[in-house]
Amino acid sequence: MKNKILKKLGLDGSNFLLSVTIGLFAVMYILGVIIYQNQGFGRMQTFLNMLIDNAGLIIAAAGMTVILIVGGIDISIGSVIGLVCMMLAYFMQIMHMNAWLAIVLVLLFGLVFGAMQGFFISYLKLQPFIVTLAGMFLCRGLTAMISANQIAITENKTFLALANYNIKVLIGATVNKRGVKMYPFIHPGVVIALVTAFIIWYMCKYTRFGRNLFAIGGNENSAMLMGINVRRNKFLAYVLNGFLASLAGFVFCLNTTSGFVEQARGFEMEAISSAVIGGTLLTGGVGTVVGSFFGVLIKATIETFIRCNGTLSSWWNKIVLSALLCFFIVLQSVFAMIK
């Protein structure tokens, strides 16, 4: 009976959880505009800054969504991002390597690392949590071996030009005190993140590989009976996730222009929470990159609340996110019982 009611409302499947996520973001953002209007919360640039600051997380959350859909987990993403940042900084600042060559090398590393973890998980049947835990320790250790100190990228003009390049947005312009029209802007990392999220969304929704991932996450045995090569598809999912983790590291480095051992620590939990808040089930088989994108926006909105308030501790971000995560996990359990 409850299932029929949800279907009549058009809220069956992941649409129900996605609707809750989008509604929550809309309410939070509108409240921010009302409460912190004088602090510029409602300005276009404030919203775009949310995308700029979280471009790397958008990509990481897209990769995590793919892994959760297939019924896996990856807790090594933060360490991979930290290692990629350190590699980029070392290549360009210490070895004086060409920026584009350094970027290609770290992206190739992500593919190889994802393939390694995917092989252990899909073909050797090892537990994803254990394999990615080992991967987390490995990448963090390799980061420390490259350098125990922070390496700032200060000499590579190509990378710095890319990091500081402003792409003007032709809507939401404001006029400053001197009468000059100021256009809001984004950085190249935001474009990379949005294009990547769109590609992963399209892949999951409209390609055979994407449909296979949902089938495997829903029930592996049924997927095998349908003729789906479960091992190969899970392997490819982790390869894709490894590439996206390295891409997220590159975009993350565009914001920080440096590498250090503790960089992106805990980032994997932010990616998981963004995906779960966005409606992706931890049990697999249900999820969407659109929801994960709005999960990232919810996190960014909370951070903007804290900055505009000026008196709240930054730890409130963790507290609110943990409460929301618990809420959505409970909501998923309720949804699982009535769907």
Side-chain angles (χ1 to χ4, degrees):
M1 182 64 182
K2 293 177 181 179
N3 190 27
K4 291 180 179 179
I5 294 174
L6 286 176
K7 287 185 176 180
K8 287 181 180 179
L9 293 175
L11 295 177
D12 59 309
S14 60
N15 291 337
F16 172 70
L17 298 173
L18 177 60
S19 299
V20 174
T21 302
I22 295 176
L24 178 61
F25 165 71
V27 170
M28 292 176 64
Y29 192 80
I30 292 172
L31 284 175
V33 172
I34 295 173
I35 297 173
Y36 298 112
Q37 184 177 5
N38 295 333
Q39 285 80 7
F41 193 101
R43 293 177 182 173
M44 174 64 74
Q45 188 58 59
T46 301
F47 177 78
L48 295 180
N49 286 341
M50 291 164 57
L51 296 178
I52 292 172
D53 294 340
N54 294 278
L57 181 57
I58 292 172
I59 299 173
M64 185 63 72
T65 302
V66 172
I67 294 301
L68 291 177
I69 286 173
V70 82
I73 193 72
D74 186 356
I75 61 172
S76 67
I77 286 181
S79 297
V80 172
I81 291 173
L83 178 56
V84 165
C85 290
M86 180 63 81
M87 290 171 67
L88 286 171
Y90 186 83
F91 287 157
M92 289 183 282
Q93 187 66 23
I94 306 300
M95 297 180 62
H96 306 289
M97 186 181 292
N98 177 274
W100 300 113
L101 177 59
I103 293 168
V104 170
L105 288 177
V106 297
L107 293 180
L108 287 176
F109 163 76
L111 283 172
V112 172
F113 186 76
M116 180 182 69
Q117 292 198 134
F119 177 78
F120 288 140
I121 293 169
S122 59
Y123 288 98
L124 298 186
K125 297 292 185 179
L126 301 180
Q127 286 295 322
F129 182 85
I130 300 300
V131 172
T132 57
L133 178 66
M136 179 182 73
F137 291 145
L138 173 64
C139 289
R140 197 62 70 178
L142 290 175
T143 305
M145 287 183 65
I146 294 174
S147 177
N149 301 315
Q150 180 177 355
I151 302 176
I153 303 172
T154 59
E155 299 178 0
N156 194 292
K157 295 181 179 179
T158 302
F159 190 84
L160 292 176
L162 184 63
N164 297 317
Y165 185 75
N166 292 336
I167 303 172
K168 289 184 179 179
V169 178
L170 300 180
I171 58 174
T174 58
V175 179
N176 63 14
K177 295 180 180 179
R178 297 181 179 179
V180 179
K181 199 170 187 179
M182 305 292 292
Y183 288 96
F185 62 87
I186 56 175
H187 291 163
V190 176
V191 178
I192 296 172
L194 295 179
V195 170
T196 301
F198 175 79
I199 292 173
I200 300 302
W201 168 80
Y202 184 89
M203 180 205 73
C204 290
K205 191 172 181 65
Y206 294 108
T207 67
R208 177 181 294 180
F209 175 62
R211 291 190 292 270
N212 288 345
L213 296 181
F214 281 103
I216 295 169
N219 191 307
E220 277 196 24
N221 293 328
S222 297
M224 292 178 65
L225 293 175
M226 292 167 58
I228 297 174
N229 191 324
V230 173
R231 289 184 176 181
R232 184 181 66 187
N233 282 278
K234 289 182 74 172
F235 172 76
L236 291 176
Y238 276 94
V239 172
L240 175 61
N241 181 62
F243 174 79
L244 292 177
S246 60
L247 182 62
F250 160 58
V251 172
F252 192 88
C253 193
L254 285 176
N255 283 342
T256 61
T257 62
S258 65
F260 57 95
V261 175
E262 296 297 316
Q263 199 162 23
R265 184 175 290 277
F267 209 74
E268 61 280 347
M269 297 307 167
E270 293 186 3
I272 293 173
S273 62
S274 297
V276 172
I277 290 173
T280 301
L281 295 184
L282 291 170
T283 52
V286 175
T288 171
V289 174
V290 176
S292 300
F293 173 75
F294 278 98
V296 173
L297 288 182
I298 287 174
K299 169 190 172 292
T301 302
I302 296 170
E303 291 174 342
T304 308
F305 261 110
I306 294 171
R307 281 198 296 266
C308 289
N309 183 277
T311 60
L312 295 175
S313 169
S314 60
W315 285 103
W316 275 103
N317 180 38
K318 305 292 184 183
I319 295 171
V320 176
L321 275 179
S322 64
L324 286 175
L325 188 59
C326 291
F327 168 74
F328 275 92
I329 290 175
V330 172
L331 195 64
Q332 287 183 8
S333 300
V334 174
F335 171 73
M337 290 187 292
I338 65 177
K339 70 175 181 177

XYZ file of all heavy atoms in Angstrom, residues 125-193:
526
model
N 38.567 -11.525 -4.606
C 37.436 -11.591 -3.674
C 37.777 -11.107 -2.265
O 37.254 -11.618 -1.265
C 36.908 -13.035 -3.588
C 36.351 -13.587 -4.885
C 35.069 -12.894 -5.290
C 34.446 -13.535 -6.512
N 33.189 -12.878 -6.898
N 38.674 -10.152 -2.161
C 38.997 -9.570 -0.859
C 37.981 -8.491 -0.501
O 37.371 -7.883 -1.374
C 40.417 -8.981 -0.878
C 41.547 -9.962 -1.197
C 42.879 -9.240 -1.174
C 41.544 -11.130 -0.220
N 37.822 -8.254 0.792
C 36.840 -7.274 1.248
C 37.254 -5.855 0.845
O 38.403 -5.448 1.082
C 36.696 -7.341 2.771
C 35.946 -8.548 3.277
C 34.486 -8.545 2.833
O 33.837 -7.503 2.780
N 33.981 -9.725 2.501
N 36.340 -5.083 0.225
C 36.678 -3.718 -0.214
C 37.202 -2.837 0.907
O 38.126 -2.042 0.701
C 35.349 -3.191 -0.767
C 34.585 -4.408 -1.148
C 34.974 -5.462 -0.163
N 36.638 -2.975 2.104
C 37.067 -2.130 3.216
C 38.528 -2.386 3.561
O 39.304 -1.442 3.770
C 36.176 -2.379 4.442
C 36.532 -1.510 5.625
C 36.023 -0.229 5.746
C 37.403 -1.971 6.609
C 36.358 0.575 6.827
C 37.749 -1.181 7.686
C 37.218 0.099 7.797
N 38.911 -3.663 3.610
C 40.286 -4.015 3.969
C 41.260 -3.573 2.884
O 42.325 -3.012 3.163
C 40.408 -5.527 4.214
C 39.479 -5.966 5.368
C 41.847 -5.911 4.526
C 39.772 -5.281 6.686
N 40.910 -3.822 1.621
C 41.794 -3.455 0.510
C 42.003 -1.945 0.458
O 43.139 -1.467 0.329
C 41.211 -3.959 -0.825
C 42.022 -3.415 -2.003
C 41.185 -5.476 -0.858
N 40.918 -1.189 0.562
C 41.047 0.269 0.475
C 41.650 0.872 1.738
O 42.259 1.937 1.682
C 39.675 0.916 0.184
O 38.725 0.546 1.195
C 39.152 0.474 -1.172
N 41.501 0.178 2.875
C 42.191 0.610 4.088
C 43.703 0.487 3.893
O 44.460 1.400 4.250
C 41.736 -0.226 5.283
C 42.412 0.071 6.632
C 42.051 1.482 7.107
C 42.017 -0.970 7.681
N 44.124 -0.640 3.313
C 45.545 -0.819 3.005
C 46.009 0.234 1.996
O 47.108 0.777 2.107
C 45.783 -2.222 2.456
N 45.152 0.537 1.018
C 45.473 1.566 0.044
C 45.602 2.940 0.679
O 46.468 3.738 0.285
N 44.774 3.213 1.663
C 44.831 4.478 2.377
C 46.172 4.636 3.095
O 46.834 5.668 2.986
C 43.685 4.577 3.384
C 43.667 5.863 4.197
S 42.327 5.909 5.424
C 42.954 4.731 6.631
N 46.586 3.572 3.813
C 47.870 3.613 4.524
C 49.035 3.720 3.544
O 50.001 4.453 3.786
C 48.030 2.370 5.399
C 47.100 2.341 6.579
C 46.564 1.136 7.032
C 46.746 3.505 7.241
C 45.712 1.111 8.126
C 45.890 3.476 8.329
C 45.372 2.282 8.774
N 48.941 2.996 2.426
C 50.011 3.001 1.433
C 50.210 4.402 0.854
O 51.342 4.907 0.801
C 49.691 2.009 0.313
C 50.645 2.030 -0.891
C 52.047 1.624 -0.477
C 50.120 1.112 -1.998
N 49.131 5.024 0.422
C 49.232 6.351 -0.212
C 49.695 7.404 0.783
O 50.506 8.278 0.444
C 47.890 6.751 -0.823
S 47.468 5.801 -2.285
N 49.211 7.322 2.022
C 49.641 8.302 3.020
C 51.122 8.117 3.344
O 51.860 9.095 3.537
C 48.784 8.174 4.283
C 48.853 9.355 5.219
C 48.355 10.646 4.574
N 46.925 10.657 4.347
C 46.276 11.686 3.831
N 46.932 12.783 3.461
N 44.970 11.640 3.627
N 51.569 6.860 3.375
C 52.988 6.602 3.622
C 53.859 7.078 2.471
O 54.931 7.659 2.690
N 53.406 6.856 1.228
C 54.156 7.321 0.067
C 54.242 8.847 0.042
O 55.272 9.405 -0.353
C 53.506 6.811 -1.222
C 53.610 5.304 -1.499
C 52.811 4.936 -2.741
C 55.070 4.891 -1.656
N 53.169 9.498 0.482
C 53.176 10.964 0.545
C 54.256 11.459 1.497
O 55.006 12.389 1.185
C 51.803 11.488 1.011
O 50.776 10.975 0.155
C 51.754 13.016 0.972
N 54.361 10.806 2.659
C 55.382 11.191 3.640
C 56.787 10.881 3.138
O 57.734 11.608 3.458
C 55.125 10.485 4.965
N 56.938 9.808 2.352
C 58.249 9.459 1.813
C 58.730 10.489 0.783
O 59.930 10.773 0.688
C 58.208 8.073 1.183
C 58.122 6.924 2.185
S 58.153 5.310 1.381
C 59.791 5.314 0.665
N 57.806 11.038 0.014
C 58.192 12.062 -0.963
C 58.719 13.288 -0.246
O 59.776 13.825 -0.578
C 57.005 12.422 -1.869
C 56.614 11.219 -2.734
C 57.348 13.624 -2.760
C 55.365 11.431 -3.551
N 57.984 13.735 0.769
C 58.443 14.873 1.564
C 57.628 14.960 2.845
O 56.393 14.869 2.809
C 58.314 16.181 0.781
O 58.689 17.280 1.592
N 58.328 15.131 3.949
C 57.647 15.319 5.228
C 57.230 16.771 5.430
O 56.479 17.081 6.356
C 58.547 14.873 6.371
N 57.721 17.641 4.572
C 57.417 19.069 4.670
C 56.493 19.500 3.538
O 56.388 18.823 2.509
C 58.706 19.895 4.615
C 59.669 19.535 5.727
O 59.262 19.392 6.883
N 60.943 19.366 5.380
N 55.857 20.621 3.733
C 54.977 21.159 2.700
C 55.801 21.657 1.517
O 56.842 22.282 1.676
C 54.136 22.307 3.257
C 53.182 22.913 2.238
C 52.302 23.993 2.827
O 52.338 24.242 4.022
N 51.506 24.633 2.001
N 55.313 21.344 0.315
C 55.935 21.849 -0.911
C 54.931 22.756 -1.608
O 53.871 22.288 -2.038
C 56.357 20.705 -1.849
C 57.330 19.754 -1.153
C 56.985 21.265 -3.128
C 57.716 18.547 -1.995
N 55.244 24.022 -1.713
C 54.362 24.979 -2.377
C 54.795 25.153 -3.826
O 55.989 25.230 -4.125
C 54.389 26.318 -1.655
N 53.827 25.189 -4.722
C 54.113 25.398 -6.142
C 54.170 26.900 -6.398
O 53.145 27.586 -6.416
C 53.039 24.739 -7.021
C 52.928 23.246 -6.700
C 53.357 24.939 -8.506
C 51.761 22.556 -7.373
N 55.362 27.415 -6.574
C 55.540 28.858 -6.745
C 56.242 29.234 -8.046
O 56.273 30.416 -8.413
C 56.357 29.436 -5.574
O 57.637 28.780 -5.532
C 55.641 29.220 -4.248
N 56.793 28.249 -8.758
C 57.610 28.553 -9.923
C 56.993 28.138 -11.251
O 57.366 28.666 -12.291
C 58.987 27.890 -9.785
C 59.781 28.375 -8.577
C 61.111 27.668 -8.445
O 61.410 26.800 -9.313
O 61.853 27.956 -7.485
N 56.055 27.182 -11.221
C 55.473 26.698 -12.465
C 54.386 27.664 -12.936
O 53.268 27.660 -12.428
C 54.900 25.288 -12.283
C 54.593 24.618 -13.609
O 53.702 25.024 -14.325
N 55.361 23.580 -13.933
N 54.708 28.475 -13.906
C 53.797 29.527 -14.359
C 52.542 28.955 -15.019
O 51.449 29.512 -14.890
C 54.518 30.470 -15.320
C 55.646 31.259 -14.670
C 56.305 32.198 -15.670
C 57.413 33.006 -14.989
N 58.094 33.925 -15.948
N 52.688 27.840 -15.727
C 51.534 27.234 -16.405
C 50.490 26.774 -15.407
O 49.294 27.067 -15.546
C 51.989 26.039 -17.270
O 52.946 26.474 -18.228
C 50.802 25.425 -17.996
N 50.942 26.065 -14.371
C 50.007 25.553 -13.367
C 49.377 26.702 -12.577
O 48.173 26.693 -12.313
C 50.730 24.597 -12.414
C 49.809 23.841 -11.494
C 49.184 22.683 -11.925
C 49.557 24.288 -10.204
C 48.326 21.987 -11.085
C 48.716 23.602 -9.364
C 48.097 22.445 -9.803
N 50.177 27.692 -12.207
C 49.655 28.825 -11.441
C 48.675 29.642 -12.272
O 47.667 30.140 -11.744
C 50.813 29.709 -10.963
C 51.740 29.081 -9.918
C 52.893 30.023 -9.604
C 50.981 28.736 -8.640
N 48.951 29.772 -13.566
C 48.020 30.498 -14.439
C 46.694 29.765 -14.538
O 45.615 30.387 -14.526
C 48.640 30.676 -15.820
N 46.761 28.444 -14.610
C 45.542 27.636 -14.655
C 44.772 27.733 -13.349
O 43.535 27.843 -13.338
C 45.903 26.180 -14.952
C 44.740 25.191 -15.129
C 43.895 25.572 -16.328
C 45.281 23.765 -15.288
N 45.502 27.706 -12.226
C 44.858 27.758 -10.909
C 44.188 29.104 -10.658
O 43.145 29.171 -9.992
C 45.885 27.474 -9.819
N 44.769 30.180 -11.174
C 44.263 31.528 -10.893
C 43.403 32.110 -12.009
O 42.976 33.265 -11.924
C 45.439 32.482 -10.628
C 46.233 32.078 -9.396
O 45.665 31.721 -8.371
N 47.559 32.125 -9.495
N 43.164 31.332 -13.053
C 42.392 31.842 -14.183
C 40.918 31.983 -13.808
O 40.310 31.055 -13.269
C 42.537 30.911 -15.382
C 41.866 31.424 -16.635
C 42.437 32.451 -17.374
C 40.657 30.881 -17.065
C 41.831 32.929 -18.527
C 40.045 31.344 -18.221
C 40.639 32.372 -18.940
O 40.023 32.849 -20.070
N 40.357 33.138 -14.069
C 38.959 33.408 -13.762
C 38.105 33.319 -15.022
O 38.410 33.959 -16.029
C 38.788 34.800 -13.141
C 39.409 34.901 -11.760
O 39.567 33.892 -11.067
N 39.767 36.103 -11.354
N 37.053 32.529 -14.959
C 36.095 32.424 -16.057
C 34.857 33.227 -15.669
O 34.154 32.874 -14.717
C 35.725 30.950 -16.320
C 36.982 30.128 -16.627
C 34.721 30.841 -17.466
C 36.739 28.638 -16.722
N 34.608 34.303 -16.372
C 33.508 35.193 -16.013
C 32.154 34.547 -16.290
O 31.963 33.875 -17.296
C 33.618 36.508 -16.781
C 34.764 37.402 -16.341
C 34.740 38.720 -17.090
C 35.881 39.632 -16.633
N 35.885 40.921 -17.363
N 31.225 34.782 -15.376
C 29.836 34.359 -15.542
C 29.018 35.611 -15.827
O 29.072 36.583 -15.070
C 29.311 33.646 -14.274
C 27.848 33.259 -14.446
C 30.164 32.422 -13.961
N 28.266 35.604 -16.902
C 27.624 36.828 -17.387
C 26.299 37.159 -16.709
O 25.565 38.034 -17.168
C 27.417 36.733 -18.906
C 28.696 36.548 -19.730
C 28.375 36.474 -21.203
C 29.691 37.665 -19.436
N 25.984 36.479 -15.625
C 24.773 36.795 -14.856
C 25.167 37.082 -13.409
O 26.207 36.614 -12.937
C 23.741 35.638 -14.905
C 24.355 34.333 -14.373
C 23.218 35.448 -16.317
C 23.356 33.196 -14.261
N 24.349 37.850 -12.730
C 24.595 38.154 -11.323
C 25.673 39.182 -11.091
O 26.282 39.225 -10.013
N 25.948 40.056 -12.086
C 26.988 41.079 -11.931
C 26.566 42.138 -10.915
O 25.377 42.427 -10.743
C 27.276 41.733 -13.286
N 27.530 42.718 -10.224
C 27.289 43.792 -9.260
C 28.161 45.001 -9.623
O 29.144 44.868 -10.356
C 27.619 43.338 -7.823
O 28.995 42.905 -7.773
C 26.717 42.202 -7.389
N 27.792 46.155 -9.099
C 28.546 47.379 -9.349
C 29.217 47.798 -8.049
O 28.556 47.942 -7.011
C 27.627 48.505 -9.864
C 28.427 49.786 -10.097
C 26.926 48.069 -11.144
N 30.555 47.977 -8.082
C 31.273 48.353 -6.864
C 31.159 49.846 -6.591
O 30.470 50.587 -7.320
C 32.745 47.927 -6.952
C 33.489 48.627 -8.083
O 33.015 49.613 -8.656
N 34.666 48.108 -8.418
N 31.828 50.333 -5.556
C 31.732 51.728 -5.137
C 32.268 52.690 -6.186
O 31.907 53.869 -6.208
C 32.472 51.925 -3.814
C 31.843 51.161 -2.652
C 32.625 51.388 -1.361
C 31.991 50.622 -0.202
N 32.748 50.818 1.065
N 33.132 52.206 -7.049
C 33.702 53.060 -8.091
C 32.871 53.050 -9.368
O 33.249 53.679 -10.366
C 35.128 52.606 -8.417
C 36.093 52.742 -7.244
C 37.485 52.292 -7.651
N 38.429 52.436 -6.548
C 39.718 52.095 -6.636
N 40.183 51.592 -7.779
N 40.512 52.256 -5.595
N 31.752 52.333 -9.324
C 30.885 52.276 -10.490
C 31.303 51.272 -11.537
O 30.790 51.276 -12.661
N 32.253 50.391 -11.181
C 32.738 49.373 -12.115
C 31.884 48.118 -11.988
O 31.615 47.646 -10.882
C 34.215 49.035 -11.846
C 34.701 47.961 -12.817
C 35.076 50.283 -11.965
N 31.456 47.584 -13.123
C 30.638 46.378 -13.121
C 31.518 45.158 -12.867
O 32.476 44.908 -13.608
C 29.907 46.240 -14.451
C 28.710 45.301 -14.410
C 27.895 45.389 -15.691
C 26.613 44.577 -15.580
N 25.808 44.674 -16.826
N 31.202 44.418 -11.828
C 31.995 43.256 -11.431
C 31.214 41.980 -11.743
O 30.115 41.771 -11.216
C 32.328 43.311 -9.944
C 33.012 44.595 -9.503
S 34.677 44.768 -10.177
C 35.506 43.435 -9.287
N 31.791 41.159 -12.612
C 31.130 39.900 -12.971
C 31.590 38.781 -12.035
O 32.778 38.683 -11.714
C 31.465 39.518 -14.407
C 30.780 40.381 -15.448
C 31.439 41.466 -16.019
C 29.480 40.105 -15.851
C 30.821 42.254 -16.974
C 28.851 40.887 -16.810
C 29.523 41.962 -17.362
O 28.900 42.741 -18.300
N 30.669 37.929 -11.610
C 31.092 36.758 -10.826
C 31.918 35.823 -11.700
O 31.865 35.894 -12.932
C 29.768 36.108 -10.409
C 28.769 36.595 -11.393
C 29.206 37.971 -11.807
N 32.679 34.944 -11.065
C 33.598 34.093 -11.816
C 33.698 32.720 -11.179
O 33.340 32.522 -10.012
C 34.988 34.731 -11.879
C 35.631 34.918 -10.529
C 36.383 33.908 -9.940
C 35.456 36.105 -9.824
C 36.955 34.068 -8.696
C 36.035 36.272 -8.562
C 36.779 35.260 -8.007
N 34.197 31.792 -11.978
C 34.551 30.464 -11.486
C 35.960 30.155 -11.978
O 36.498 30.873 -12.822
C 33.573 29.368 -11.969
C 33.493 29.368 -13.513
C 32.205 29.545 -11.344
C 32.656 28.246 -14.078
N 36.552 29.097 -11.449
C 37.870 28.663 -11.867
C 37.748 27.424 -12.760
O 36.703 26.745 -12.751
C 38.735 28.353 -10.656
C 39.100 29.574 -9.868
N 39.568 29.512 -8.570
C 39.075 30.890 -10.194
C 39.810 30.737 -8.131
N 39.517 31.584 -9.093
N 38.787 27.095 -13.516
C 38.733 25.910 -14.386
C 38.381 24.615 -13.650
O 37.762 23.717 -14.229
C 40.155 25.842 -14.963
C 40.628 27.256 -14.960
C 40.033 27.863 -13.722
N 38.765 24.520 -12.370
C 38.439 23.320 -11.601
C 36.951 23.064 -11.505
O 36.505 21.911 -11.499
N 36.152 24.128 -11.445
C 34.695 23.982 -11.378
C 34.164 23.408 -12.685
O 33.294 22.521 -12.689
C 34.026 25.334 -11.077
C 32.502 25.198 -11.108
C 34.483 25.863 -9.729
N 34.686 23.900 -13.804
C 34.273 23.381 -15.114
C 34.604 21.899 -15.224
O 33.783 21.080 -15.668
C 34.950 24.176 -16.250
C 34.560 23.593 -17.604
C 34.572 25.652 -16.177
N 35.812 21.529 -14.797
C 36.223 20.121 -14.831
C 35.294 19.277 -13.965
O 34.864 18.186 -14.366
C 37.679 19.972 -14.356
C 38.634 20.695 -15.314
C 38.064 18.496 -14.235
C 40.061 20.763 -14.814
N 34.960 19.785 -12.779
C 34.105 19.038 -11.850
C 32.703 18.853 -12.417
O 32.139 17.747 -12.361
C 34.045 19.757 -10.507
